[in-house]
Amino acid sequence: IPALLANCLINNFSIMYKFKQDLAMAYFDGCSKKTASRLLAREINLTPGLLDALRPTGYRPAQKRLSPRQLQILFSFLGEP
């Protein structure tokens, strides 16, 4: 059941954070969309192993949408916003 619950949470987060900019705004509340997006990109690049973990999922720095798997990886490295 824990795996089922985790899957449900990831699916709910993928609805909430369908776009990378929405996720950035959640992590960096109070910043402009542009600044929050830049800060998230910086975190992705500077967090050891994160970019390497995202690459097999087809992640590209310029992409706008995030897959549920990409969200799961981001949360495992950065925590939930």
Side-chain angles (χ1 to χ4, degrees):
I1 294 196
L4 194 61
L5 180 61
N7 190 27
C8 181
L9 289 173
I10 291 298
N11 288 335
N12 286 339
F13 280 123
S14 66
I15 292 168
M16 290 172 56
Y17 305 121
K18 188 175 182 180
F19 294 96
K20 191 164 46 171
Q21 191 174 62
D22 296 332
L23 181 63
M25 292 295 292
Y27 276 117
F28 302 101
D29 188 33
C31 292
S32 70
K33 290 179 181 182
K34 189 174 185 176
T35 299
S37 295
R38 285 182 183 166
L39 290 170
L40 179 59
R42 183 173 185 229
E43 286 298 315
I44 290 170
N45 287 320
L46 294 179
T47 301
L50 178 51
L51 193 54
D52 290 334
L54 287 169
R55 281 192 181 117
T57 68
Y59 175 82
R60 296 177 336 265
Q63 78 183 54
K64 305 263 188 236
R65 292 178 181 232
L66 295 168
S67 72
R69 179 68 183 131
Q70 290 167 345
L71 280 173
Q72 186 177 28
I73 292 168
L74 286 165
F75 292 159
S76 70
F77 278 83
L78 303 176
E80 294 177 12

